[in-house]
Amino acid sequence: MKKIIATALSMTMAMSLAACGGGAASSAAPAASSAPAASQASAPAASDGVITVGFAQVGHESDWRTASTKSAQDVFSAANGYDLKFVDCDNDSAAQLEAVRNFIEQDVDYIIIDPIVSTGWDTVLTECEDAGIPVIVIDRTIDDSDKYVSWVGSDFKIEGLACGEWLKAYAADKGMSEINALVIEGSTGASATIGRTDGFKEIADREGWNIMASQSGDFTEAGGQEVMESYCQSYKGKFNVVICQNDNEAAGAMTAMDNAGITYGVGGDVVLVSFDANKPYVQMVCDGKINANFECNPMAAPTVSEIIQDLEAGKTPEKEIYVPEHWFAAEDNVPSIDVNGETLEVIHATQDVVDARPY
Ligand code: AHR
């Protein structure tokens, strides 16, 4: 039975690869989009009615990741008819490949992968295909293989572009004559890092800004603090913008700047920007400690469950599904920005906005 499904998956994914030219996130604005996925791919029927799902999660490096894991555990619960086999890969790519191969050995019904890095996937995805196990990719993209049914996640390049466009408008309003920016990147090789870095750099290059340094803080608080400490030693008094590619790095950067006597946020020496928009950090935007925060939505699991139910019903899921995302700012001086020809709202982070945050 699984071999027949594997053949159908193989044929339809090859067709989809030819039609889409690869599985990377497009530059479309964050909204549901897409091309048809494995059109004849019916999912393996679970004989006992329970659907077994293997989830190879990146790790536990950030508050965002905790929210992503909780979302999956809530959705793929026994009460919802699932048996979730969860593996925390601790940011180790080899461990993640091994986790996927173990899921194949266990003959799970579906495999969910949040890829630590965007390349090196085709061999193991071929193994999944040969075993007839549909793969759903979430959050970060796989850029060197199209052998998965669907991807659900964020447009990281748009996040980076939005950050740059917001900074341009903010700087103009505040009369900042030059931008000297320090960037704390996420984990090397992650599509979240690549997209945010490329998007921000595109605007920086266009506007002639000075990116003084751009180093990885590995999406962790400790990494953000370490990189910021070294930036403070090398560049104190010379920078006026710090871009942290996630909230935990921003927490570390704040500690380092506090220790170095550098002020940040509304009225500070330095404009501080973050990504993710976890609730405690939108609170920091509301409190004026972080100037702006660009959301990365971790709640992919409900959509993945819909995809699985569609496959169970013999329907064709979308190949790419973008989760909705919002931008938050401490002040109301930039109400909207134009990104790739689309006008996007910048939400003034009032206490009501914070209180309504779902994670
Ligand atoms: O891939 C999403 C990124 O990974 C989030 O921005 C970060 O917090 C997480 O660790």
Side-chain angles (χ1 to χ4, degrees):
M1 176 62 178
K2 278 200 164 174
K3 280 287 165 205
I4 297 168
I5 294 160
T7 307
L9 271 169
S10 173
M11 285 171 61
T12 51
M13 285 172 178
M15 285 161 59
S16 156
L17 180 61
C20 303
S26 78
S27 58
S33 78
S34 231
S39 56
Q40 295 132 37
S42 59
S47 53
D48 54 0
V50 174
I51 298 172
T52 306
V53 174
F55 178 19
Q57 173 65 291
V58 168
H60 51 273
E61 71 284 0
S62 64
D63 288 21
W64 187 99
R65 192 62 56 197
T66 303
S68 163
T69 294
K70 181 176 183 314
S71 170
Q73 287 170 339
D74 288 350
V75 168
F76 300 110
S77 64
N80 289 339
Y82 291 102
D83 175 12
L84 175 63
K85 299 186 183 305
F86 176 84
V87 177
D88 176 334
C89 300
D90 200 16
N91 219 25
D92 178 339
S93 291
Q96 192 166 42
L97 292 175
E98 192 185 332
V100 173
R101 291 194 166 105
N102 283 338
F103 292 148
I104 295 172
E105 258 180 42
Q106 292 170 67
D107 200 24
V108 300
D109 297 315
Y110 297 90
I111 294 174
I112 304 170
I113 302 171
D114 190 330
I116 295 169
V117 292
S118 59
T119 55
W121 284 99
D122 198 55
T123 301
V124 77
L125 291 189
T126 303
E127 291 167 27
C128 294
E129 185 181 275
D130 289 347
I133 303 175
V135 171
I136 300 158
V137 179
I138 64 166
D139 173 33
R140 302 179 186 174
T141 53
I142 284 177
D143 296 340
D144 62 353
S145 178
D146 199 33
K147 292 176 181 144
Y148 53 87
V149 174
S150 283
W151 164 85
V152 182
S154 308
D155 191 325
F156 302 114
K157 175 102 185 267
I158 290 284
E159 293 174 1
L161 288 169
C163 168
E165 295 291 8
W166 172 83
L167 181 60
K168 181 193 168 197
Y170 182 84
D173 184 68
K174 295 288 180 185
M176 291 167 70
S177 56
E178 58 182 48
I179 300 289
N180 293 306
L182 294 169
V183 178
I184 303 180
E185 297 182 15
S187 303
T188 304
S191 66
T193 302
I194 295 166
R196 289 170 192 164
T197 303
D198 289 352
F200 180 71
K201 189 173 180 310
E202 189 172 310
I203 307 300
D205 289 348
R206 188 191 72 197
E207 298 300 320
W209 297 340
N210 182 18
I211 297 180
M212 306 178 84
S214 192
Q215 286 176 27
S216 172
D218 228 2
F219 284 134
T220 64
E221 181 167 346
Q225 181 171 341
E226 192 181 325
V227 172
M228 195 67 228
E229 280 167 356
S230 102
Y231 283 168
C232 288
Q233 280 185 358
S234 303
Y235 303 106
K236 190 172 179 186
K238 297 178 184 156
F239 61 94
N240 59 358
V241 173
V242 173
I243 308 288
C244 299
Q245 288 186 355
N246 85 344
D247 283 336
N248 294 81
E249 288 179 344
M254 284 189 263
T255 303
M257 286 192 281
D258 287 341
N259 293 340
I262 296 169
T263 60
Y264 48 84
V266 176
D269 303 328
V270 168
V271 175
L272 179 61
V273 177
S274 185
F275 291 83
D276 282 358
N278 292 289
K279 189 170 185 170
Y281 295 84
V282 180
Q283 181 70 59
M284 290 181 206
V285 179
C286 176
D287 296 342
K289 289 181 163 180
I290 295 174
N291 294 85
N293 203 328
F294 296 83
E295 185 184 22
C296 181
N297 185 340
M299 315 297 267
T303 306
V304 175
S305 179
E306 283 171 23
I307 289 168
I308 289 173
Q309 296 306 328
D310 279 354
L311 289 169
E312 291 282 315
K315 294 186 196 158
T316 303
E318 301 281 308
K319 183 71 181 179
E320 293 179 341
I321 300 172
Y322 290 92
V323 288
E325 300 190 320
H326 302 92
W327 323 135
F328 302 93
E331 297 167 84
D332 59 2
N333 56 339
V334 180
S336 66
I337 48 175
D338 289 342
V339 181
N340 270 1
E342 195 176 345
T343 301
L344 305 174
E345 182 187 12
V346 177
I347 298 168
H348 181 211
T350 60
Q351 193 59 52
D352 284 349
V353 167
V354 177
D355 293 344
R357 294 292 295 147
Y359 57 87

